[in-house]
Amino acid sequence: MELQSSILMSAKIHIVDAQLSLIHIPLEHYQTYLQALLRLILPLKPDGEDLEISSSWTNRYPFLNISVTPTECSLVCPKSLGKELFGQASANTANRTHAAIISSEDYVVMSVEGEGLEAGKRVLELTSPLALAGISIFFITTYFSDYVIVPAKSRGQVIRALEDRGFRFEKSAEAYVNPAARHDRNKSSTSSFGTLSPSTPPPTTVDELQVRTFALLKRREIVPKVDADIRLVQCAGRRDNPNNFLADEMGLQNGLTKCLINQPRFLSLTLTEDEPASLLLDKRLATHFDANHVLLGNTEEFLVPIMLDLEPLPLEATGIVCGLAGKLAGHKPDDNFQTAIEMSYLSTARTGTVIVEEKDLQHAMEALRVEEGDTD
C-alpha cells in the first residue's frame, strides 16, 4: 500500500544547504555548557563586540534547535558552530565523562511548507515515504513549518524517495515541488546524488511499519511517560509591527536568556534563516516574556508532552516517528483514519516527544500502549 498524500502533493520541500551536528548534553552537566548555549542567542560580531540588532538575530543560522526537556539538553546546529562552542567547552572540562556528545555523522534538514490535513496526519504523510525507504529521521514541528532532519549520507535516498512520488526540483522556487497536476508523475528523473541501500529491508506498508515500531519499543522496554507537572504552549517571536522591531527582538532575547539561565524543565527553540523564532515552552516560562508584545500565539492553550526515552535505540533506527504518528492519526489497514488525535512531534538526540492537547491525553496514552500485549 502506498499513501496518496495530499500533503506531499501540495508541499514545497527545501533542502537547507548546511552541514549540521546533533549534540546531546546530559542534564546533570547542563551548567557546564550554559555559556555556550547563551552564545547562540547572544551572538557576537567577529571582533567580539555585541551584535547590533539591526536585522533579526534570530535569522543568523541556516537552522538551529535548542531543546531542554526532562530527559536531556539537545541541539541541532551548524557543524562548525557546534565544534567551536561545545567542542571547546568539552575540551575545557576536567572530567571527560561530563563532555557533550557531538555526533560524528553530519545531518541535513528539509523544511516542508504546505497546508491541509490535521497535524497528526501531516506528520504521518511527511514521514512515511522516508520511513518506507529505510531512512532514519528526526522530526521537529514548529509554529510555522515542519522540519525533517536526515543523515547527510542519506541525502540521495531522500531525493530518490521524493522523485518516486513525483517531485521535481524547480530552480525558481529553489525547492522540490510536485507538479502532478500538470505533468505525468510516473516519469522520474535521475538524482545527481548517489543512493544508499538500507542495512535491513524496510517495511513495505505503513501498517507493517507500525507493527515493527511497537514491537521494537516493547523489546527495548520503551514506554510513553507523562510528567503531570508540565504543560506547554506553542508560540513564536512577534514580528508584525515594524515600529516595535527592536523592542520585540530584545524582549525575546532577554526572555530566552532568563529561561536558559534557570535551566528550564521544557523549552524548545527553533531558529532559521527566513522565519521568526518558534518556541515550545513550559507555560510557566511565559512570564519571562512580555507575552502580549513579544510572543505570537495563544499562551492559554496548553499542550502535553508524551516522552519516549529512545536511548536504547541506535541513532539510525528507522520508522519511529511514522509508526507513532500512524497510531495516533488512527490509520487503519483499509486506509481510513479513525479516532484521529491532533499531535505534533519533537525529536531530540535521545528522546521522542509526542505533543497532544490536554483533552486528548488519555486517548493518546491508550493508543500508544495498545500494542503492549504483542510479542512479534
Side-chain angles (χ1 to χ4, degrees), residues 58-69:
T58 64
N59 298 131
R60 285 175 56 83
Y61 307 110
F63 185 85
L64 172 70
N65 176 266
I66 304 172
S67 292
V68 186
T69 73

Side-chain angles (χ1 to χ4, degrees), residues 268-281:
S268 182
L269 167 70
T270 301
L271 304 179
T272 67
E273 288 182 324
D274 51 11
E275 292 180 342
S278 180
L279 298 92
L280 178 68
L281 69 162

Side-chain angles (χ1 to χ4, degrees), residues 72 306-310 320 324 345-348 350-354:
E72 66 176 325
I306 303 173
M307 290 164 282
L308 295 95
D309 183 357
L310 303 179
I320 303 300
L324 296 173
Y345 198 88
L346 172 66
S347 293
T348 54
R350 299 188 176 183
T351 306
T353 302
V354 175

